[in-house]
Amino acid sequence: MAGRTVSNSVIRRLPRYYRFLSELRQKGTTRISSGELAAHMNLTASQIRQDLNCFGGFGQQGYGYNVDQLQYEIGRILGLDTEATAILIGAGNLGQTIATHINFKKCGFKLVAIFDQNEKIIGDTVGDLKISDMKDLSAYCRKVKPDVAIMCIPRAHAQEIVDELLACGVFGFWNFSQRDLVIEDERAHVENIRLADSLMALRYHIGK
């Protein structure tokens, strides 16, 4: 992959491939053609071949794809064979739901700390982690150097916290703050998550 630029649209399809291949493995399927894979995933066989060829192909003419091997390779491309660390900022209802219901390990992460500024919940436990005081955020990040911050805070404070985290060497952000973060540092990557956008798109598709 050295020197090769892969489009974001291709990268965003990789988790779908990984998830569907996992389902095939559970059903006992050992191999599948690009055409069969396309039919199940509502893509074209050509699109699947183009996507996978960005990383080397992995298929054999006349045989198709080995399901176990292809899932392993896609998992390796996504980085699921190693473990990145994540911290969660904001332990309100949304933050606690994410902390307790997301399978971080399956996604290649380990949640290592939770922070909030609400004195009433600091010290409480979410899962197996205690909620820490936001005042300790910078010191913690400089010491532990987490890879990603999950932002479950009000939009008014989002940019301020992100600037603080960038200064501490945190460059990955999973952002639920309802404010689309724009970061100029080329080392940083932001996933802005807006659940309401998805719901409104669904409203369009179902019509009036």
Side-chain angles (χ1 to χ4, degrees):
M1 287 182 56
R4 182 181 296 182
T5 300
V6 180
S7 72
N8 196 46
S9 59
V10 173
I11 294 169
R12 289 188 177 280
R13 281 192 288 271
L14 292 179
R16 285 190 63 205
Y17 291 134
Y18 186 85
R19 173 165 43 85
F20 185 70
L21 289 164
S22 178
E23 293 171 0
L24 288 175
R25 290 184 63 192
Q26 292 174 12
K27 294 176 181 177
T29 304
T30 57
R31 69 174 181 173
I32 192 167
S33 69
S34 57
E36 291 169 328
L37 194 56
H40 286 291
M41 298 185 66
N42 197 28
L43 297 171
T44 66
S46 175
Q47 181 69 75
I48 288 175
R49 289 193 294 268
Q50 289 177 29
D51 286 353
L52 298 180
N53 282 339
C54 291
F55 306 97
F58 312 118
Q60 299 177 27
Q61 189 172 4
Y63 177 87
Y65 299 102
N66 180 292
V67 171
D68 286 357
Q69 184 64 22
L70 183 57
Q71 188 195 28
Y72 168 80
E73 293 292 349
I74 291 176
R76 182 182 58 80
I77 291 165
L78 287 168
L80 304 186
D81 56 336
T82 60
E83 192 172 69
T85 53
I87 59 174
L88 189 144
I89 314 296
N93 292 335
L94 176 60
Q96 292 197 31
T97 298
I98 289 173
T100 55
H101 289 86
I102 295 291
N103 188 335
F104 285 95
K105 184 175 182 180
K106 186 176 180 180
C107 298
F109 286 93
K110 180 179 181 180
L111 184 63
V112 296
I114 300 173
F115 292 87
D116 201 284
Q117 64 180 3
N118 185 349
E119 294 180 357
K120 294 181 179 180
I121 63 173
I122 291 171
D124 289 354
T125 300
V126 179
D128 58 355
L129 295 173
K130 283 189 176 181
I131 301 173
S132 299
D133 195 323
M134 283 290 293
K135 295 176 182 177
D136 300 323
L137 178 63
S138 291
Y140 177 90
C141 290
R142 288 193 174 96
K143 179 180 179 180
V144 177
K145 302 185 185 305
D147 299 294
V148 165
I150 303 167
M151 308 288 288
C152 297
I153 58 178
R155 59 179 294 153
H157 303 293
Q159 193 63 56
E160 174 188 349
I161 299 301
V162 165
D163 291 343
E164 180 180 351
L165 291 166
L166 287 168
C168 297
V170 180
F171 299 110
F173 300 93
W174 199 25
N175 176 34
F176 291 85
S177 73
Q178 300 303 304
R179 174 175 179 170
D180 288 348
L181 300 172
V182 179
I183 301 173
E184 294 183 358
D185 194 316
E186 294 182 354
R187 295 170 294 178
H189 183 81
V190 181
E191 288 289 326
N192 292 306
I193 308 299
R194 285 182 174 264
L195 300 178
D197 287 5
S198 177
L199 189 58
M200 284 188 283
L202 176 61
R203 183 65 187 89
Y204 167 82
H205 286 298
I206 65 172
K208 295 183 178 181

Short mmCIF file of all heavy atoms in Angstrom, two decimals, residues 122-149:
data_model
loop_
_atom_site.label_atom_id
_atom_site.label_comp_id
_atom_site.label_asym_id
_atom_site.label_seq_id
_atom_site.Cartn_x
_atom_site.Cartn_y
_atom_site.Cartn_z
N ILE A 122 -18.50 12.44 39.31
CA ILE A 122 -17.07 12.13 39.36
C ILE A 122 -16.82 11.10 40.47
O ILE A 122 -17.28 11.27 41.59
CB ILE A 122 -16.23 13.40 39.60
CG1 ILE A 122 -16.30 14.31 38.36
CG2 ILE A 122 -14.78 13.05 39.90
CD1 ILE A 122 -15.70 15.68 38.58
N GLY A 123 -16.13 10.04 40.13
CA GLY A 123 -15.91 8.95 41.07
C GLY A 123 -16.86 7.80 40.91
O GLY A 123 -16.60 6.69 41.41
N ASP A 124 -18.00 8.03 40.23
CA ASP A 124 -18.92 6.93 39.93
C ASP A 124 -18.27 5.97 38.93
O ASP A 124 -17.31 6.32 38.23
CB ASP A 124 -20.23 7.46 39.34
CG ASP A 124 -21.08 8.19 40.38
OD1 ASP A 124 -20.71 8.18 41.55
OD2 ASP A 124 -22.11 8.79 39.98
N THR A 125 -18.82 4.79 38.86
CA THR A 125 -18.26 3.77 37.96
C THR A 125 -19.19 3.53 36.78
O THR A 125 -20.41 3.39 36.95
CB THR A 125 -18.04 2.44 38.71
OG1 THR A 125 -17.12 2.67 39.79
CG2 THR A 125 -17.46 1.38 37.79
N VAL A 126 -18.61 3.48 35.60
CA VAL A 126 -19.32 3.10 34.38
C VAL A 126 -18.61 1.88 33.83
O VAL A 126 -17.45 1.96 33.42
CB VAL A 126 -19.32 4.23 33.34
CG1 VAL A 126 -20.04 3.78 32.07
CG2 VAL A 126 -19.97 5.48 33.90
N GLY A 127 -19.30 0.74 33.84
CA GLY A 127 -18.60 -0.49 33.50
C GLY A 127 -17.55 -0.76 34.57
O GLY A 127 -17.86 -0.82 35.76
N ASP A 128 -16.29 -0.88 34.16
CA ASP A 128 -15.22 -1.08 35.12
C ASP A 128 -14.30 0.13 35.23
O ASP A 128 -13.18 0.04 35.73
CB ASP A 128 -14.39 -2.33 34.75
CG ASP A 128 -13.78 -2.24 33.36
OD1 ASP A 128 -14.07 -1.25 32.64
OD2 ASP A 128 -13.01 -3.14 32.99
N LEU A 129 -14.80 1.30 34.76
CA LEU A 129 -14.00 2.52 34.80
C LEU A 129 -14.65 3.57 35.68
O LEU A 129 -15.86 3.78 35.63
CB LEU A 129 -13.83 3.09 33.38
CG LEU A 129 -13.05 2.25 32.38
CD1 LEU A 129 -13.12 2.89 30.99
CD2 LEU A 129 -11.60 2.10 32.81
N LYS A 130 -13.82 4.23 36.49
CA LYS A 130 -14.32 5.34 37.29
C LYS A 130 -14.30 6.62 36.47
O LYS A 130 -13.41 6.84 35.66
CB LYS A 130 -13.45 5.52 38.54
CG LYS A 130 -13.73 4.50 39.62
CD LYS A 130 -13.01 4.87 40.92
CE LYS A 130 -13.36 3.90 42.04
NZ LYS A 130 -12.68 4.26 43.32
N ILE A 131 -15.30 7.47 36.69
CA ILE A 131 -15.36 8.76 36.01
C ILE A 131 -14.36 9.70 36.67
O ILE A 131 -14.41 9.93 37.88
CB ILE A 131 -16.78 9.35 36.08
CG1 ILE A 131 -17.78 8.40 35.43
CG2 ILE A 131 -16.82 10.72 35.41
CD1 ILE A 131 -19.23 8.83 35.60
N SER A 132 -13.45 10.23 35.85
CA SER A 132 -12.41 11.12 36.35
C SER A 132 -12.79 12.57 36.11
O SER A 132 -13.62 12.89 35.25
CB SER A 132 -11.07 10.82 35.66
OG SER A 132 -10.66 9.50 35.92
N ASP A 133 -12.16 13.46 36.85
CA ASP A 133 -12.42 14.89 36.76
C ASP A 133 -11.76 15.46 35.51
O ASP A 133 -10.60 15.16 35.20
CB ASP A 133 -11.85 15.60 38.00
CG ASP A 133 -12.37 17.01 38.18
OD1 ASP A 133 -12.57 17.72 37.16
OD2 ASP A 133 -12.58 17.41 39.34
N MET A 134 -12.50 16.30 34.77
CA MET A 134 -11.95 16.94 33.58
C MET A 134 -10.68 17.74 33.88
O MET A 134 -9.85 17.95 33.00
CB MET A 134 -13.00 17.86 32.95
CG MET A 134 -14.07 17.15 32.17
SD MET A 134 -13.47 16.42 30.63
CE MET A 134 -13.09 17.91 29.70
N LYS A 135 -10.53 18.18 35.11
CA LYS A 135 -9.34 18.94 35.47
C LYS A 135 -8.07 18.10 35.30
O LYS A 135 -6.97 18.65 35.14
CB LYS A 135 -9.44 19.42 36.92
CG LYS A 135 -10.56 20.42 37.16
CD LYS A 135 -10.66 20.77 38.64
CE LYS A 135 -11.82 21.73 38.91
NZ LYS A 135 -11.97 22.03 40.35
N ASP A 136 -8.23 16.79 35.32
CA ASP A 136 -7.07 15.89 35.22
C ASP A 136 -6.83 15.42 33.79
O ASP A 136 -5.94 14.59 33.55
CB ASP A 136 -7.27 14.67 36.13
CG ASP A 136 -7.43 15.06 37.59
OD1 ASP A 136 -6.75 16.02 38.01
OD2 ASP A 136 -8.24 14.41 38.29
N LEU A 137 -7.62 15.92 32.83
CA LEU A 137 -7.57 15.41 31.45
C LEU A 137 -6.19 15.59 30.82
O LEU A 137 -5.62 14.63 30.28
CB LEU A 137 -8.64 16.10 30.60
CG LEU A 137 -8.67 15.72 29.12
CD1 LEU A 137 -8.99 14.24 28.96
CD2 LEU A 137 -9.70 16.58 28.38
N SER A 138 -5.66 16.79 30.85
CA SER A 138 -4.39 17.05 30.18
C SER A 138 -3.26 16.21 30.77
O SER A 138 -2.46 15.62 30.03
CB SER A 138 -4.03 18.54 30.26
OG SER A 138 -4.92 19.31 29.47
N ALA A 139 -3.19 16.16 32.08
CA ALA A 139 -2.13 15.39 32.73
C ALA A 139 -2.23 13.92 32.36
O ALA A 139 -1.21 13.26 32.08
CB ALA A 139 -2.20 15.58 34.24
N TYR A 140 -3.46 13.40 32.33
CA TYR A 140 -3.66 12.00 31.98
C TYR A 140 -3.21 11.73 30.54
O TYR A 140 -2.50 10.76 30.27
CB TYR A 140 -5.13 11.62 32.14
CG TYR A 140 -5.44 10.20 31.73
CD1 TYR A 140 -5.35 9.16 32.65
CD2 TYR A 140 -5.79 9.90 30.42
CE1 TYR A 140 -5.61 7.85 32.26
CE2 TYR A 140 -6.06 8.60 30.03
CZ TYR A 140 -5.97 7.58 30.96
OH TYR A 140 -6.23 6.28 30.57
N CYS A 141 -3.62 12.59 29.62
CA CYS A 141 -3.31 12.38 28.21
C CYS A 141 -1.81 12.48 27.94
O CYS A 141 -1.26 11.74 27.12
CB CYS A 141 -4.07 13.37 27.34
SG CYS A 141 -5.86 13.05 27.28
N ARG A 142 -1.15 13.39 28.61
CA ARG A 142 0.30 13.50 28.42
C ARG A 142 1.03 12.26 28.94
O ARG A 142 2.07 11.87 28.41
CB ARG A 142 0.82 14.76 29.11
CG ARG A 142 0.41 16.05 28.40
CD ARG A 142 1.19 17.25 28.91
NE ARG A 142 0.89 18.43 28.13
CZ ARG A 142 -0.01 19.35 28.46
NH1 ARG A 142 -0.70 19.19 29.59
NH2 ARG A 142 -0.23 20.39 27.69
N LYS A 143 0.46 11.64 29.96
CA LYS A 143 1.08 10.45 30.53
C LYS A 143 0.75 9.18 29.74
O LYS A 143 1.63 8.39 29.40
CB LYS A 143 0.64 10.28 31.98
CG LYS A 143 1.23 9.04 32.67
CD LYS A 143 0.74 8.95 34.11
CE LYS A 143 1.31 7.70 34.79
NZ LYS A 143 0.83 7.59 36.21
N VAL A 144 -0.53 8.99 29.45
CA VAL A 144 -1.00 7.74 28.84
C VAL A 144 -0.95 7.78 27.31
O VAL A 144 -0.79 6.76 26.66
CB VAL A 144 -2.43 7.44 29.33
CG1 VAL A 144 -2.99 6.18 28.66
CG2 VAL A 144 -2.43 7.28 30.85
N LYS A 145 -1.11 8.97 26.73
CA LYS A 145 -1.10 9.16 25.27
C LYS A 145 -2.16 8.30 24.57
O LYS A 145 -1.82 7.44 23.73
CB LYS A 145 0.28 8.88 24.69
CG LYS A 145 1.37 9.76 25.30
CD LYS A 145 2.71 9.55 24.62
CE LYS A 145 3.81 10.33 25.30
NZ LYS A 145 3.55 11.77 25.41
N PRO A 146 -3.43 8.49 24.87
CA PRO A 146 -4.48 7.73 24.18
C PRO A 146 -4.53 8.09 22.70
O PRO A 146 -4.14 9.18 22.31
CB PRO A 146 -5.76 8.16 24.91
CG PRO A 146 -5.44 9.51 25.47
CD PRO A 146 -3.99 9.46 25.83
N ASP A 147 -5.02 7.16 21.91
CA ASP A 147 -5.08 7.37 20.46
C ASP A 147 -6.30 8.17 20.03
O ASP A 147 -6.23 8.93 19.05
CB ASP A 147 -5.10 6.00 19.75
CG ASP A 147 -3.86 5.19 20.04
OD1 ASP A 147 -2.76 5.61 19.61
OD2 ASP A 147 -3.98 4.14 20.70
N VAL A 148 -7.41 8.00 20.75
CA VAL A 148 -8.68 8.56 20.30
C VAL A 148 -9.45 9.12 21.50
O VAL A 148 -9.40 8.56 22.60
CB VAL A 148 -9.53 7.48 19.59
CG1 VAL A 148 -10.98 7.90 19.44
CG2 VAL A 148 -8.95 7.16 18.22
N ALA A 149 -10.16 10.22 21.26
CA ALA A 149 -11.09 10.76 22.25
C ALA A 149 -12.50 10.68 21.68
O ALA A 149 -12.75 11.09 20.54
CB ALA A 149 -10.75 12.21 22.59
#
